[in-house]
Amino acid sequence: MTDTLDAGPHGPKGRTPGAAEKVLLLLDGFTRLTAAGAPPTFTELVTASGLAKSTAHRLLSLLVRHKMVGHVNGTYRPGPALSDLAAAALGLPVDRLCATLLPYMVDLYELTHETVGLAVLQGSDVVLIERIRGTRRAPLRLPDRLPAHNTALGRALFDTTYSAATACSGADPRGGHIDALLAEVRRQGVFTSFGELIPGVACLALPVLDEARKPVVALSVSGWTQSMDLVTVAKHLRSVALMAGLALLTEER
């Protein structure tokens, strides 16, 4: 696709791309820009795709209407239909993932009474496809889309061999005891974030793996650091994530 993009809106050797190819040009540029960092703007997408502004605007409107991309505050992000398409490529539609793993999310909620999430990776973001809100203290209001680089969910989905020791950061508002708690959580191989996205909120996450030992989705438990029993939650998360993985392996596709 790179040669086509470099060739501009008329494609290689001056050939004018057809309507379908223009959509692919736009999606290719969108994917590369999204994976590189911040959600792209309209101008960035025009430059990356090599399309005329009027064509890019018309096609983006079409993609937004069909929920392939979302338009938020002047930038474009992957939409829910794109999530479904990515999951379907694995033979695991989002609705089926949710139906299969929801009982395990309920188990995890019953064990912790904290907010439980299920997320997939989309470019440089993680997208929550299901959640159960916790009942401890004030309710958490987590966004549906989170940057992967500074979240426990993103760390779990990007690389399951990522060092848990380097994945733990932030300060414990209780003071004094965080090092011992984190050491125990690290020993369990759990990915964590502490106050990096929302001050005072801790998140623990683990991937749910397929038969190739690749992460399909990630399970998380989030709560207020002051009241969350980190070590106990990590133990429950580890056991439930293992059972959820076994459920995916036995699920007929």
Side-chain angles (χ1 to χ4, degrees), residues 49-78:
S49 65
L51 298 173
K53 289 183 178 180
S54 58
T55 300
H57 184 270
R58 175 172 53 83
L59 293 178
L60 281 170
S61 297
L62 181 67
L63 291 171
V64 169
R65 189 160 63 248
H66 288 276
K67 300 183 179 180
M68 295 293 288
V69 301
H71 189 205
V72 181
N73 296 329
T75 62
Y76 292 87
R77 298 172 178 268

Side-chain angles (χ1 to χ4, degrees), residues 2-250:
T2 302
D3 292 339
T4 305
L5 287 172
D6 291 341
H10 298 293
K13 298 181 180 180
R15 178 178 61 81
T16 301
E21 190 174 353
K22 289 177 182 178
V23 174
L24 293 176
L25 287 170
L26 191 59
L27 285 175
D28 184 81
F30 173 74
T31 301
R32 289 188 292 107
L33 289 170
T34 300
T41 64
F42 174 74
T43 300
E44 290 170 335
L45 286 170
V46 168
T47 302
S49 65
L51 298 173
K53 289 183 178 180
S54 58
T55 300
H57 184 270
R58 175 172 53 83
L59 293 178
L60 281 170
S61 297
L62 181 67
L63 291 171
V64 169
R65 189 160 63 248
H66 288 276
K67 300 183 179 180
M68 295 293 288
V69 301
H71 189 205
V72 181
N73 296 329
T75 62
Y76 292 87
R77 298 172 178 268
L82 206 56
S83 296
D84 290 347
L85 185 62
L90 297 172
L92 295 165
V94 168
D95 58 349
R96 190 167 179 179
L97 275 173
C98 292
T100 301
L101 298 181
L102 185 58
Y104 299 92
M105 296 178 66
V106 172
D107 286 346
L108 193 52
Y109 166 77
E110 292 293 343
L111 289 166
T112 65
H113 292 286
E114 304 286 1
T115 296
V116 176
L118 185 70
V120 295
L121 189 64
Q122 260 193 9
S124 59
D125 292 342
V126 290
V127 178
L128 285 165
I129 58 175
E130 188 62 87
R131 78 176 80 197
I132 301 174
R133 299 187 186 278
T135 55
R136 296 185 185 274
R137 298 189 63 195
L140 287 179
R141 301 194 179 279
L142 301 175
D144 291 334
R145 182 178 293 274
L146 305 164
H149 70 278
N150 64 346
T151 59
L153 283 165
R155 290 161 181 157
L157 286 166
F158 265 129
D159 184 1
T160 57
T161 64
Y162 186 85
S163 170
T166 60
C168 301
S169 62
D172 181 9
R174 294 169 294 190
H177 304 294
I178 190 64
D179 289 341
L181 292 173
L182 289 182
E184 177 59 29
V185 171
R186 285 197 294 267
R187 278 194 290 271
Q188 298 185 55
V190 175
F191 296 84
T192 67
S193 62
F194 288 85
E196 295 171 73
L197 190 67
I198 302 176
V201 171
C203 181
L204 281 64
L206 278 175
V208 177
L209 306 176
D210 61 15
E211 63 272 14
R213 305 296 296 168
K214 298 295 185 181
V216 178
V217 293
L219 274 172
S220 69
V221 181
S222 302
W224 297 101
T225 309
Q226 287 182 327
S227 59
M228 193 172 176
D229 186 339
L230 300 174
V231 174
T232 300
V233 167
K235 290 178 180 178
H236 291 320
L237 175 61
R238 186 176 175 85
S239 62
V240 172
L242 177 61
M243 294 303 296
L246 291 174
L248 281 185
L249 290 178
T250 56

